[in-house]
Amino acid sequence: MGADGWRFGLLGPMEVWQGSTRIPVNAPREQALLAVLLLNADRVVAAERLMELVWGDDPPAGTKDTMHTLVWRLRRQLGAVLVTSPPGYVVRVRPDQVDVQRFEAQLQLGRRAAAAGRAAQAADLLGSALALWRGEPLAGVAAEGLCRMECPRLAELHLQAVEARIDALLALGEHQAVVGELSSLVAAHPLREGLSGQIMTALYRCGRQAEALQVYQELRRALDEELGVEPGSEVRRLHQGVLRADPMLDLPPPAPPAQAGAGLGSAPPAQLPADVAGFSGRAGYLAELDGLLTARDCGGSVAIAAIDGTTGVGKTALAVHWAHQVRDRFKDGQLHLNLRGHDAAAPMSPGEALSRLLRALGVAADQIPVEVDEAAALYRTLLAERRMLVVLDNASSADQVRPLLPGSPGCLVLVTSRDQLGGLVARDGAHRLGLGVLGPQEAEALLATMLGGDRVHDEPEATMGLASACARLPLALRIAAANITGRSGLSIGDYLAELVQGDRLSALAVAGDKQAAVQAAFDLSYRRLSGPQRRMFRLLGLVPGLDVSVSGAALLAETTVRQAGDALSALATAHLVEESARGRYTFHDLLRLYARQRVTSEESEPDRQAARRRLVSSYLSEVDAAARLLYPEKLRLPLPATRDGRAHASFDSPAAALAWLDAERPNLTAAVADAAEHGLGPMAWLLADALRGYFYLSMHTTDWRQAAQAALAAARSEGHLRAQAAAHLSLADLDWRASRHREAISHYTEAVTLSQQAGWAEGEATALGNLGTVHWQAGRLDTAAEHCRRALAIHRHSGNLGGQAIAVGNLGTVCWQAGRLAEASRHHAEALVLNRRTGS
């Protein structure tokens, strides 16, 4: 019995559910033991610690034997969920299966939405979190040590969620609706200043100024009698605002709608690729998938189908075709992701996959956790209680897929892979469909769809011979059909004769050699292309990302955009490339490999390197143009002068620049790694450095880290100190934005040292200034001030007015926080003058 379908409730009396069946756990000590393990879900709890929390600091003799008995009883009910793992025990469940962890995750989401100004989403998320509470936490659980430790913490989090939800409702103008709830809360918690402040705000906005002032007086009296203190500064300021009828207390104007939120937006995602044209056959597999859908509706766990088979056998076609047939059954939408499991480049990491899925679900890039476990928990939280279809295409392993599995029983996951993913079947309960080649009649039906029924009917023997020569592999059959239809007057028999002739293709006679069948079909298609088309096809094998624009292809082949477009259209007609979006082209992964084999065998190493350089140079020019529009204040490594006569790239507007960066982001990240791998180190670190400002704005953290690390490795291999410093600045910015202050300080400190060694004053000053900011945020004001002064001195020496303005402004902020107001005022006055001089 695996972990899927289990749900555990601790926010009230203990509840245990397997699907729709409630599992009774009534014995007090069993409840206590299970509660300790659930609050440490998927973490081993030592036996000694268990005894302390369940029996107290001085457990009676024989407690260890009693605990073994309790574990045995629980295991009879929970099965494989409860595991012995020396030195103790562990409950193998996901955090989203325990209501405490779900509550904490949704509380965090609500806080993030509120901080980003998304009050409506915050109110919904926090309301959902509070709805998980069924009473006092751990009610009836006889574990004194555990309750003493956890109940106060949970009660505080509950109050924080209540306050945060009311803040969101106040921001939405619901002041009338919250007065009654707040009255009860203030009566129950008379010393909690946040609640008193909220009801004062609500009453004031309701036109009840005198009552708001009375609340303050009651709070002040209670604090004085109980603690001998005055209300805090925030409530005092609120009191003064009510006395003055300060307009700042009025309902703020509605915020503009956010482009992306911390949760599913109003329009559910609909990411399925277009259905496969001319899909035929596979009736048995489709029926098997239909049965899985029925089982999902009757069961209490996530349904997972793992479709495996050789390349070109139609795994993706089957998954996408069936997904289109049943998509109406999933009211909350469909997600689709190509995991690149068998691409020539590295497979997509779980972190990158989660980042893409979360963005598709409406989570803003800067709200996506960097750690895989946290991102996975957020993903499962967003999908909890939703009906979502998730298609994970081209997976490399069960480990790649597992973090991407939802926890909600309403979801269904389709996974395709060349491997059988046995671990996904054994551990996660996936239903395996081993996809074979088409049957003889299915292959004939596919050719009839592609070529026309009359044509196939007129040449039945040639049709069956062609199906056999192509090993009844759908990809080979489609390419063969495209070759036939592309040549007027060519019969199926004539094409079959061409396909099987010659010594090179004699391997087709080997039974079951599907790879040879595909190779033969590719070879014949490739030979039928014109010379420029063949060159375009093989050069596309050098593209580091998933797709390429027409202009990018023109650069690779050193041709005009129009000629490149014509060549790509011809390749698409021959089914050798696909138009993934308007003006953008991609490969089937096997065709990508074939193109790379061709470019390696037919283009010299200098020519391949020159083509790579042209493409990456173009990327660098475009990113530089975008950077000058979007983040001109960011320090960047200088770009070398262009020597090919091409004009610098430009954009009409910041919006156009940002749209281009968003569209090309995966390719740009891949280009950094590819340039570093193929000896184009300077281009790798220049491109990564030019992207730093974009990543800082967009917070695509996985791509950011990948690009910065590749740049750092390339700079180290060539001993380029300034490029190393720039890469450390980028990694430090990433860690700083993710609130990993210790790691950020380490990278900034390394950037200071490397900049000093390289004689790069601007890099040193930038790193010092950012170090000052990190220390300021951590409350180390003296250290922060020292770093800001050092940065300011360098900027003054170099005459950098913009740098001076930033440094002296930061120094003023630190002085203000330290209470040195006169000094802060002088620094901010100087910053104001400098910013006016620079036109900032």
Side-chain angles (χ1 to χ4, degrees):
M1 190 185 302
D4 284 333
W6 287 96
R7 289 178 291 121
F8 301 90
L10 299 175
L11 297 176
M14 176 178 284
E15 288 186 351
V16 178
W17 294 84
Q18 167 65 11
S20 58
T21 303
R22 185 168 181 172
I23 307 299
V25 180
N26 298 324
R29 293 299 187 192
E30 289 180 23
Q31 284 191 350
L33 187 69
L34 181 56
V36 173
L37 294 171
L38 288 172
L39 287 168
N40 294 274
D42 214 29
R43 297 196 301 268
V44 176
V45 183
E48 289 75 10
R49 181 61 173 160
L50 274 170
M51 289 189 291
E52 289 176 14
L53 292 173
V54 175
W55 281 274
D57 296 333
D58 189 20
T63 298
K64 181 168 284 191
D65 291 336
T66 302
M67 185 172 65
H68 292 323
T69 302
L70 294 175
V71 169
W72 175 77
R73 289 177 182 171
L74 282 172
R75 191 172 284 139
R76 285 197 305 171
Q77 295 176 288
L78 304 181
V81 170
L82 178 53
V83 178
T84 300
S85 181
Y89 304 94
V90 60
V91 170
R92 294 293 186 195
V93 294
R94 298 185 306 270
D96 60 292
Q97 292 175 281
V98 184
D99 61 357
V100 172
Q101 280 85 347
R102 280 184 62 193
F103 164 73
E104 293 187 41
Q106 288 187 311
L107 172 58
Q108 183 182 20
L109 274 176
R111 285 169 169 166
R112 288 176 174 173
R118 298 186 292 270
Q121 286 182 332
D124 288 343
L125 287 164
L126 293 162
S128 298
L130 291 167
L132 295 170
W133 285 67
R134 296 170 288 105
E136 293 295 322
L138 303 174
V141 173
E144 181 181 346
L146 176 68
C147 293
R148 185 171 58 247
M149 179 176 66
E150 286 293 330
C151 289
R153 183 184 74 87
L154 293 172
E156 172 60 25
L157 288 178
H158 181 268
L159 270 176
Q160 289 179 15
V162 168
E163 290 177 331
R165 174 178 166 273
I166 291 174
D167 274 338
L169 292 173
L170 287 172
L172 293 170
E174 299 289 339
H175 39 270
Q176 298 263 12
V178 300
V179 168
E181 180 182 358
L182 279 167
S183 297
S184 299
L185 289 166
V186 170
H189 306 279
L191 302 181
R192 198 166 182 95
E193 297 184 34
L195 293 172
S196 293
Q198 287 177 327
I199 195 170
M200 287 172 65
T201 301
L203 288 169
Y204 177 80
R205 290 180 183 172
C206 291
R208 298 157 67 177
Q209 183 182 23
E211 293 175 71
L213 295 171
Q214 181 62 32
V215 169
Y216 177 79
Q217 295 303 330
E218 291 172 359
L219 171 66
R220 186 180 183 189
R221 183 166 49 252
L223 289 171
D224 181 54
E225 291 175 356
E226 294 289 333
L227 305 174
V229 298
E230 286 287 316
S233 58
E234 186 173 345
V235 183
R236 292 201 305 272
R237 283 195 297 270
L238 179 58
H239 176 241
Q240 291 298 315
V242 173
L243 286 171
R244 297 194 309 269
D246 191 336
M248 293 296 291
L249 296 182
D250 294 334
L251 182 68
Q259 293 183 347
L264 290 168
S266 56
Q271 293 189 322
L272 291 180
D275 199 356
V276 180
F279 185 91
S280 62
R282 306 302 197 190
Y285 293 103
L286 293 170
E288 200 168 344
L289 287 168
D290 288 340
L292 186 65
L293 185 61
T294 302
R296 180 212 63 149
D297 291 338
C298 297
S301 61
V302 180
I304 306 168
I307 305 171
D308 65 80
T310 187
T311 183
V313 80
K315 302 180 294 295
T316 299
L318 173 65
V320 170
H321 179 71
W322 184 79
H324 274 282
Q325 288 186 327
V326 301
R327 63 181 180 179
D328 291 342
R329 303 279 293 272
F330 297 89
K331 63 182 179 64
D332 293 308
Q334 315 94 42
L335 297 170
H336 176 272
L337 195 60
N338 180 2
L339 297 175
R340 306 197 304 263
H342 299 279
D343 196 72
M348 185 180 294
S349 69
E352 180 183 355
L354 284 165
S355 178
R356 291 171 184 259
L357 290 169
L358 288 169
R359 288 199 301 275
L361 291 171
V363 180
D366 62 349
Q367 302 295 315
I368 295 175
V370 177
E371 299 300 327
V372 171
D373 288 346
E374 293 181 16
L378 174 57
Y379 169 69
R380 290 191 296 267
T381 298
L382 289 175
L383 294 189
E385 310 304 328
R386 299 186 185 273
R387 299 175 68 87
M388 184 78 72
L389 177 61
V390 183
V391 181
L392 303 174
D393 197 17
N394 198 16
S396 63
S397 66
D399 288 339
Q400 184 190 30
V401 170
R402 195 165 284 123
L404 315 180
L405 298 177
S408 170
C411 294
L412 188 145
V413 183
L414 289 178
V415 185
T416 72
S417 178
R418 294 187 196 174
D419 298 324
Q420 293 184 6
L421 303 181
L424 208 63
V425 174
R427 176 174 163 182
D428 301 282
H431 179 83
R432 180 185 169 235
L433 284 81
L435 194 60
V437 298
L438 295 172
Q441 292 182 338
E442 290 178 319
E444 183 178 353
L446 176 58
L447 288 172
T449 301
M450 302 289 293
L451 298 172
D454 292 341
R455 200 168 185 179
V456 166
H457 183 267
D458 292 341
E459 296 185 79
E461 293 184 3
T463 298
M464 295 309 295
L466 179 59
S468 177
C470 291
R472 301 201 302 276
L473 202 65
L475 178 62
L477 288 168
R478 287 181 178 275
I479 291 174
N483 285 330
I484 295 171
T485 56
R487 297 166 61 193
S488 60
L490 181 69
S491 69
I492 299 175
D494 290 341
Y495 179 81
L496 177 61
E498 292 181 8
L499 183 64
V500 299
Q501 71 182 359
D503 292 339
R504 184 180 180 193
L505 303 181
S506 60
L508 286 173
V510 179
D513 190 351
K514 304 178 186 69
Q515 178 64 42
V518 176
Q519 179 81 21
F522 289 178
D523 286 345
L524 194 52
S525 296
Y526 183 71
R527 289 201 299 271
R528 292 298 177 190
L529 299 172
S530 68
Q533 292 165 359
R534 284 199 300 270
R535 184 165 187 267
M536 175 63 76
F537 174 78
R538 62 179 178 259
L539 286 174
L540 290 178
L542 298 175
V543 173
L546 289 177
D547 63 7
V548 68
S549 64
V550 176
S551 58
L555 284 166
L556 274 173
E558 283 188 295
T559 187
T560 67
V561 171
R562 181 173 180 176
Q563 290 170 331
D566 291 342
L568 290 167
S569 295
L571 294 176
T573 300
H575 285 243
L576 293 175
V577 299
E578 302 171 27
E579 191 171 14
S580 56
R582 185 174 179 83
R584 304 190 70 84
Y585 291 83
T586 189
F587 283 114
H588 181 283
D589 56 354
L590 189 60
L591 282 161
R592 187 189 307 277
L593 177 62
Y594 181 75
R596 287 177 176 171
Q597 292 172 345
R598 281 290 183 179
V599 76
T600 301
S601 62
E602 297 184 37
E603 299 282 341
S604 68
E605 173 59 25
D607 286 345
R608 295 198 301 272
Q609 199 73 336
R612 284 194 186 95
R613 188 180 294 277
R614 288 193 297 273
L615 183 62
V616 182
S617 293
S618 172
Y619 283 154
L620 185 55
S621 176
E622 298 272 9
V623 174
D624 175 62
R628 284 184 270 113
L629 268 180
L630 294 172
Y631 38 93
E633 77 287 351
K634 283 285 183 186
L635 174 69
R636 290 196 286 130
L637 296 169
L639 268 59
T642 57
R643 288 175 288 186
D644 54 8
R646 289 189 296 112
H648 284 287
S650 62
F651 292 98
D652 294 336
S653 66
L658 186 60
W660 183 86
L661 285 168
D662 287 339
E664 292 286 357
R665 175 180 49 78
N667 295 328
L668 296 171
T669 305
V672 173
D674 187 73
E677 179 184 350
H678 289 95
L680 300 176
M683 304 190 82
W685 65 64
L686 287 171
L687 183 57
D689 184 61
L691 286 167
R692 177 167 68 100
Y694 167 66
F695 287 140
Y696 188 93
L697 294 172
S698 63
M699 280 302 288
H700 294 293
T701 54
T702 302
D703 291 339
W704 189 353
R705 187 171 299 280
Q706 179 181 335
Q709 288 178 336
L712 180 58
R716 281 174 173 166
S717 69
E718 299 192 26
H720 198 290
L721 297 177
R722 186 174 292 194
Q724 291 179 56
H728 277 292
L729 274 176
S730 188
L731 289 167
D733 283 353
L734 170 57
D735 285 326
W736 174 25
R737 289 295 307 274
S739 298
R740 293 193 297 270
H741 289 169
R742 181 181 302 174
E743 293 84 350
I745 288 172
S746 175
H747 282 300
Y748 281 135
T749 302
E750 188 67 19
V752 169
T753 302
L754 289 164
S755 297
Q756 290 171 341
Q757 294 173 357
W760 188 27
E762 288 180 307
E764 181 185 358
T766 298
L768 284 168
N770 289 343
L771 267 174
T773 303
V774 176
H775 283 294
W776 161 57
Q777 291 179 341
R780 295 184 286 270
L781 299 182
D782 289 342
T783 304
E786 175 59 25
H787 285 307
C788 289
R789 289 191 184 96
R790 290 175 62 190
L792 179 59
I794 295 172
H795 286 309
R796 281 174 172 165
H797 180 75
S798 64
N800 182 345
L801 296 182
Q804 291 178 51
I806 293 172
V808 76
N810 288 343
L811 186 56
T813 299
V814 172
C815 291
W816 167 56
Q817 289 287 309
R820 300 195 296 272
L821 302 185
E823 188 178 353
S825 178
R826 289 195 303 274
H827 289 313
H828 281 306
E830 182 182 354
L832 185 61
V833 170
L834 289 166
N835 278 306
R836 284 172 174 164
R837 288 178 64 187
T838 60
S840 174

